[in-house]
Each structure stands twice: as structure tokens, then as C-alpha cells.
Amino acid sequence: MAQTDVDNLTGMFFTLDNPDGSYGTGQVIRRAADGVYFVRFDGNEVTLPLELVTIGDMLETTADEYKLWRFFETAEEREKWMDWLDAPSRPRVLSLVRTPPTTPSSD
């Protein structure tokens, strides 16, 4: 029986968290070998060369167990994530004062 090799990462878009709180973006271009992929990070003005990244690198987490790499099927999904991530948080005000229920007046 032939073993089928499924490649679910090629073509995926990603964000990669940096230690300073910023993040990088790019795309997984193709598999180079078992467990190793060519990725291209997005550059500001020039196309950056391909880099080799292992599955182990992609699975790294912070000391608090947050994933450093996040994968998206489309660039649009990634853009939505980045818009949400970069949006300023809005403070929420919760009222802790209870108002008594209103009773209908009998006139």
C-alpha cells in the first residue's frame, strides 16, 4: 500500500510574533524536505528571499504557551486578524448599580 503524504501548509499565509510585540507576515511557499518548508516573509519594498523553516520552529510557543506562528488560508483572513489585533481596545463600562424594577402605575 502506498503512503500518501499530505501537505497542508503549502500556500498558507502566516503571522509570526516577535519578542518586541510586533509581528512579521509571509507565506509558506513549498515543502523543501520532510518537516522543512520554504517561506517568504513580506518585505516593505523588495521581495525577500526564501527562508527554510522547520515544523519545530513553527510550533514554538512563548513561556506563557502562546503560539508564535498563526496560519491562515487566505490573505484576506490574515488581514482581518491583523486589523483586529491592531485595533485599539475600547474600554467597557459596566454599571454595578441595580435599579429597582418599574411597576405600572394604577391611575
Side-chain angles (χ1 to χ4, degrees), residues 2-100:
Q3 177 182 347
T4 57
D5 198 8
V6 178
D7 177 11
N8 292 327
L9 287 175
T10 296
M12 297 289 282
F13 295 87
F14 64 84
T15 62
L16 172 60
D17 292 349
N18 295 320
D20 65 0
S22 65
Y23 56 87
T25 61
Q27 185 177 17
V28 179
I29 303 301
R30 67 178 175 269
R31 185 170 47 193
D34 286 340
V36 181
Y37 286 83
F38 284 111
V39 300
R40 175 169 285 136
F41 286 91
D42 297 330
N44 291 336
E45 297 177 13
V46 296
T47 302
L48 298 175
L50 297 176
E51 294 187 29
L52 288 172
V53 179
T54 67
I55 293 290
D57 292 334
M58 293 177 186
L59 293 175
E60 283 185 17
T61 60
T62 66
D64 297 327
E65 299 298 318
Y66 291 107
K67 294 179 182 179
L68 297 176
W69 291 72
R70 289 181 185 84
F71 295 93
F72 306 89
E73 289 191 22
T74 65
E76 291 79 23
E77 288 177 2
R78 183 182 66 185
E79 293 299 319
K80 285 181 185 177
W81 168 260
M82 292 186 319
D83 289 345
W84 175 83
L85 192 62
D86 293 339
S89 61
R90 295 182 206 136
R92 296 182 180 151
V93 178
L94 300 175
S95 175
L96 299 177
V97 177
R98 282 193 153 176
T99 56

